[in-house]
Structure formats: structure tokens, C-alpha cells
Amino acid sequence: MAIAFELDTLKMRINDAQFQQLDLHQRIQRALRALILEGALRPGTKLPATRALATSLGVARDTIENAYVQLHRDGFIVRRAGSGSYVCDSLGPALRGAARQRFKAHEVQHRHAAPGDGLSQRGRMIFETGGVSDQQQVKAFATGLPETRNFPIEVWERLQRQVVKDYRAQILLHGDSQGAEPLRKSIATYLNLERGARCSPEQIVILSSTRQALFLCAQLLVDSGKPILMENPGYYGARKAFQTAETRVLPIAVDASGLRTDLLHADRSGAPCVYVTPSHQYPTGVTLSLERRLALIAWAAQKGKWIIEDDYDSEFHYEGQPTACVQGLDNDQRTLYVGTFSKTLFPGLRMGYIVLPPELIKPFTYARSMMDGHTPQTLQLTLARFMEDGHYNAHVRAMRKLYAERRAVLLDAIARYLGGIVTALRPPGGLQIPCLLHAGWSEQETITKAARAGIKLSGLSRLYAGDEPKEGWLLGYASLTAHEIESAVIRLAQVLRS
């Protein structure tokens, strides 16, 4: 038999786990192909007759015939009437004995390759700076997680069934890159009534997340290598999105009244836009004063700049009435307003939006179409009905009351159990509380100790740019019950003082 010396290897390859989902003739064909590519079956080698190989392998002759037919179609073997089947000579001398060494060298090379090798300069930068990890489960004190156990999932399911019934095959097609019109209308109505915005459905583009919105802003408004202004401290995901777009992030300090607009007016970097979180500055929680909102708008109008307003959790304001968004005060339409449903509804929805000045609508829509086309239509239309029927406002009101109660529980627990370790700041709203560590306590050490007790602490220092970051934690509480909050604080105090 021509390949008797390779029969055991052939049997082993046929039974390889990676081939188990294939039909038997496909597994035999793949195994023979691998032996040819590795040089074990050299060009010109005669293969056994189909009957002989079928007997050796204990399979039907038709199975071997089907495998040979496919190898012949793919150009791996030639079949000569009255002579037999041969490994194709045209595969070249590179396979004559050298292939096995080549494959071994390839394996050695990849065994010693470092993660990130072979990437572009941009790819290496993204890899080296790391991604942005989102919390995937409820855990004390993960930030950015809303309460999902109280979400009216039965209502959502009913509305989704209605959407599928009403739209039928239409929702199986590609959607509008700008977003479904019913949802854009619902968002515009909500923002104009609840957030003091001034926008039309035509100004809204539906996106998959806030980070996608910020990445698009950096790509379309800032040239590669040029600066973009950002609050300091500021949202880590925003900085990553801007860096991924190859911009230089320049910090603008924040104080008790929010972004320091005097530093903004003094800036000479030529940056075309600034990123701000006016309602609840991330992470300090302070609200940008009306005086500074107007100064920010004046700066953008006078210098032809853009304002990127991230209104990520403005719905959850617990002390007094929330201040109207910057976009609604901006008569010159220099503000891009970014919103998300991940905080108000549930993060698995993966849906946000951006309200754009008229001249930016088409550029952003075109750019979005090249990234991922559109957000799934079923989700958009379900959310539109959820808003139209009043469920969205009702859910936000219920969560606002619940989160206010949970914030009070956390503040009380910190005061009672963590005195001498941290001082909690008291933001007027939001889903997390910033805490500053007292002298003698290390941020990294406390984070490490807490992790051993199953508690996630998000450090404050990484949110600062420059050489003088403040050490502390950002404690998320929205996804935890009052009992879970107090129990976690007690456990944290115990592990830190031990």
C-alpha cells in the first residue's frame, strides 16, 4: 500500500477533535489534505486505490471515493485513468521534505511571539493602553450598573412581540443608519420635555453606546495627532475612545462648580472641542453652574468650537430640580448631546444616541454606516413603544426614588463603618459616590484587599491626568439592595482594618 507508513497518522488525523462535526468523507479528505500540506505525502506520491484504503480504514468505498473527488476538485491530487491517484506535482518543490521543517519553524516563531506583535502602530497603542471593561454581574461596588432585577421585563417582552407581529419581515432587513424614526421621535419628545433640550427627530442618530458616540466625535471633529480638551478628572471610557481615535487628550481642571471655564478661555492649544459631563461631573458628581454653562456656550460660539455634552445619568438627580442641559441653552447650536439607555434601563440593551447640530447630521450618519450599519430594528422599535406608552418615564421615576434611598443607605454606612479610612463626597445625583482616602491609606492596597473579600473598588486615581491624582474609590450602589450595601460596607471595613 503506497501510504502504509502513514496509515496510523491518517487514522489519528481522521479522529482529530476539530473534525468531529464533519461527515466521515470530509474528515478523511481533511486528514489527507493536511498530510499533503505538511509534506508527509510528497508531490507525485501515489495514493492507494479507493477499495484498498476503504478496507484499511474499515469504511465504505464510496466514502473514500467522495474524499478523493473533493481532493481532486481542490487541486491536491490528480486522477489518471488506469493508473491511479497521485499527489499533484504542481504543488511544487517547497513541499518536498521542507514543509515539515517550515511548519515547525512557524510553530516555534508563534510560540515565542509576544501579544501585540504584528499589529499596526495604532493597534499596539490600543493593546498597550488596555480596553474598557464593563461589569458583567451585580457585585459590590461596581460602577455604572443600574438596578435590573426590578426591570419590567414582562412589559418589554409583550411590546417586542407586538413589534414582531406588526412589522413582520420588515424588521429582518437592514435599518436606517440614522435610526428608526419612531424611536427618534420618542427621544426628541422626551428630551424637549424632561431635559430642556431643543431638538427635532432629524437631529438624532441612534448608536450602540456612549463610547461609540465619543469615538465618532473624535474621528470626525479632531484630526489625528491633534488635541481634544477634557475634564480632569474625567470619564475613563471617554479618554480611551479619544485615544483610540489618535487624538491628544488635554486636561481642563474641575472644581466645586464644575469645569473651569476660565482655563478653557485661556487655552491656546487649538483644540476644536471639549468633552464635559455638566449634570453630574464624572467622577466628582458636581453640577456645572449656570454661569459656567453660559460661559462654556460663549466660548464655543466665539471661537467656533464644539461642546460634547455627555448627559449619561442626568435622570437621577435627588436634591432639587436638575439643571437644563447645555444643548437647550445653546442658541448657536455648537453642542453635541450624548445620551444612553444603559443607565436608565439596562446595559445589555446596548443603545445610546447623539443629538447633532444640523451640519453634522449627514457626516455622523455616513460614518456610523461604515462602522456597524445600524442598531437592531427590533430593539429600537420595542424601545420606541416602551417610551410612547409611558413605561420609560414610569420606570425612571421608580428608579429615581429607589436610588435616592440606596444612596442614603451607602452614605450612612460609610460614615458608621469606614470613618478614619475615607470621606464620602455627597453628589446631588448619579449612580455612584466618590470617596477620598485619608492619609496613610493606599488606593492600590485597599483595592487588592477588597478584591480578596469579593468586593470591587474602582480607583479614583486613574481618572486623573497629570502628576497629582487624588486617591480614593468610586462606589456604585444603584444595582445593590439596602441590605447588600450595608453588608458589603461592613465586610469591607473588616477586611481593611484586619
Side-chain angles (χ1 to χ4, degrees):
M1 181 176 174
I3 61 168
F5 62 95
E6 292 290 349
L7 186 59
D8 289 341
T9 303
L10 179 61
K11 289 180 178 179
M12 182 178 68
R13 289 296 179 85
I14 292 171
N15 294 317
D16 194 303
Q18 65 176 315
F19 297 152
Q20 291 310 301
Q21 301 301 317
L22 303 176
D23 292 336
L24 182 56
H25 76 275
Q26 293 175 307
R27 289 156 55 189
I28 294 172
Q29 179 258 334
R30 296 286 183 90
L32 286 169
R33 185 180 70 179
L35 292 175
I36 293 171
L37 288 173
E38 293 173 8
L41 295 178
R42 301 182 180 185
T45 298
K46 184 177 181 180
L47 300 181
T50 55
R51 188 185 303 277
L53 185 56
T55 300
S56 298
L57 295 178
V59 301
R61 181 184 178 187
D62 285 348
T63 301
I64 304 300
E65 176 63 24
N66 289 336
Y68 277 18
V69 167
Q70 189 61 49
L71 288 168
H72 177 62
R73 287 175 179 169
D74 292 344
F76 286 96
I77 67 173
V78 293
R79 311 191 75 180
R80 300 170 187 158
S83 178
S85 300
Y86 299 82
V87 177
C88 187
D89 282 323
S90 64
L91 293 175
L95 293 175
R96 298 181 187 276
R100 192 181 298 275
Q101 284 72 25
R102 185 173 71 251
F103 273 78
K104 287 182 178 179
H106 177 76
E107 291 173 0
V108 170
Q109 175 186 352
H110 280 267
R111 193 179 302 130
H112 296 289
D117 284 359
L119 296 176
S120 66
Q121 183 176 354
R122 182 188 303 105
R124 284 195 300 274
M125 181 272 293
I126 293 172
F127 172 73
E128 290 168 1
T129 56
V132 179
S133 60
D134 292 312
Q135 184 66 29
Q136 296 180 346
Q137 59 183 344
V138 176
K139 189 175 183 180
F141 290 95
T143 59
L145 275 185
E147 173 58 69
T148 55
R149 290 170 287 190
N150 289 357
F151 183 76
I153 190 69
E154 296 81 8
V155 173
W156 183 271
E157 289 176 338
R158 174 172 57 80
L159 295 176
Q160 185 163 283
R161 288 194 298 269
Q162 289 179 7
V163 164
V164 172
K165 179 181 178 181
D166 292 346
Y167 286 87
R168 308 299 295 175
Q170 182 180 343
I171 60 173
L172 305 181
L173 300 173
H174 288 292
D176 186 342
S177 294
Q178 190 172 346
E181 186 178 12
L183 179 56
R184 289 189 283 113
K185 286 181 176 179
S186 295
I187 293 173
T189 299
Y190 171 78
L191 293 178
N192 292 337
L193 291 176
E194 301 291 337
R195 294 297 300 122
R198 291 189 296 175
C199 65
S200 66
E202 291 71 32
Q203 291 177 260
I204 296 173
V205 177
I206 307 299
L207 301 169
S208 63
S209 66
T210 294
R211 287 199 290 270
Q212 185 181 48
L214 301 180
F215 179 76
L216 283 171
C217 288
Q219 287 276 19
L220 295 177
L221 304 180
V222 188
D223 289 323
S224 177
K226 298 299 182 181
I228 185 171
L229 304 178
M230 178 177 169
E231 300 168 322
N232 184 38
Y235 173 44
Y236 189 69
R239 189 189 310 156
K240 286 294 183 182
F242 298 150
Q243 289 173 343
T244 301
E246 299 184 297
T247 68
R248 291 189 294 113
V249 180
L250 301 182
I252 300 291
V254 169
D255 62 18
S257 296
L259 182 81
R260 285 187 54 186
T261 49
D262 59 320
L263 298 179
L264 200 62
H265 281 277
D267 175 68
R268 296 295 180 268
S269 68
C273 53
V274 61
Y275 168 81
V276 292
T277 51
S279 295
H280 304 134
Q281 199 280 327
Y282 194 94
T284 66
V286 302
T287 298
L288 188 65
S289 67
L290 178 59
E291 179 184 359
R292 290 194 181 177
R293 288 174 187 243
L294 297 177
L296 174 63
I297 292 169
W299 168 82
Q302 293 166 7
K303 300 193 175 184
K305 309 291 187 179
W306 299 109
I307 302 166
I308 304 171
E309 178 182 13
D310 186 352
D311 212 30
Y312 63 101
D313 67 357
S314 62
E315 288 84 356
F316 305 118
H317 197 87
Y318 316 121
E319 298 177 5
Q321 293 298 314
T323 308
C325 64
V326 171
Q327 192 272 351
L329 300 172
D330 183 5
N331 293 327
D332 295 288
Q333 299 197 69
R334 304 297 302 176
T335 302
L336 295 79
Y337 179 97
V338 179
T340 178
F341 294 105
S342 293
K343 304 293 187 294
T344 52
L345 297 180
F346 53 95
L349 183 59
R350 302 311 302 153
M351 201 180 304
Y353 56 90
I354 186 168
V355 180
L356 298 162
E359 64 265 42
L360 297 181
I361 297 171
K362 284 191 176 180
F364 271 76
T365 302
Y366 293 162
R368 196 284 159 86
S369 71
M370 290 186 285
M371 291 185 71
D372 59 353
H374 61 89
T375 303
Q377 291 200 82
T378 305
L379 292 177
Q380 290 190 68
L381 295 169
T382 302
L383 177 54
R385 294 198 176 184
F386 193 80
M387 298 182 78
E388 290 165 4
D389 292 354
H391 301 297
Y392 182 77
N393 281 352
H395 182 67
V396 168
R397 285 194 300 270
M399 292 302 100
R400 185 183 297 129
K401 179 181 178 181
L402 182 65
Y403 296 160
E405 294 169 353
R406 292 179 176 181
R407 183 187 70 144
V409 170
L410 180 54
L411 287 169
D412 178 67
I414 292 171
R416 283 195 289 146
Y417 302 112
L418 294 174
I421 299 177
V422 294
T423 295
L425 305 182
R426 187 186 178 93
L431 305 178
Q432 52 272 322
I433 292 176
C435 300
L436 298 179
L437 281 163
H438 293 186
W441 290 91
S442 162
E443 179 182 287
Q444 188 53 55
E445 287 181 11
T446 56
I447 290 174
T448 302
K449 286 185 176 182
R452 295 181 191 143
I455 295 173
K456 179 178 177 58
L457 298 181
S458 296
L460 279 180
S461 61
R462 69 172 186 158
L463 305 179
Y464 285 81
D467 300 327
E468 298 182 359
K470 292 184 179 180
E471 293 206 342
W473 317 318
L474 198 59
L475 303 184
Y477 58 84
S479 61
L480 305 172
T481 65
H483 174 71
E484 289 169 339
I485 290 170
E486 184 159 8
S487 298
V489 172
I490 292 173
R491 194 163 73 250
L492 176 60
Q494 290 172 341
V495 73
L496 293 182
R497 296 187 193 278
S498 63

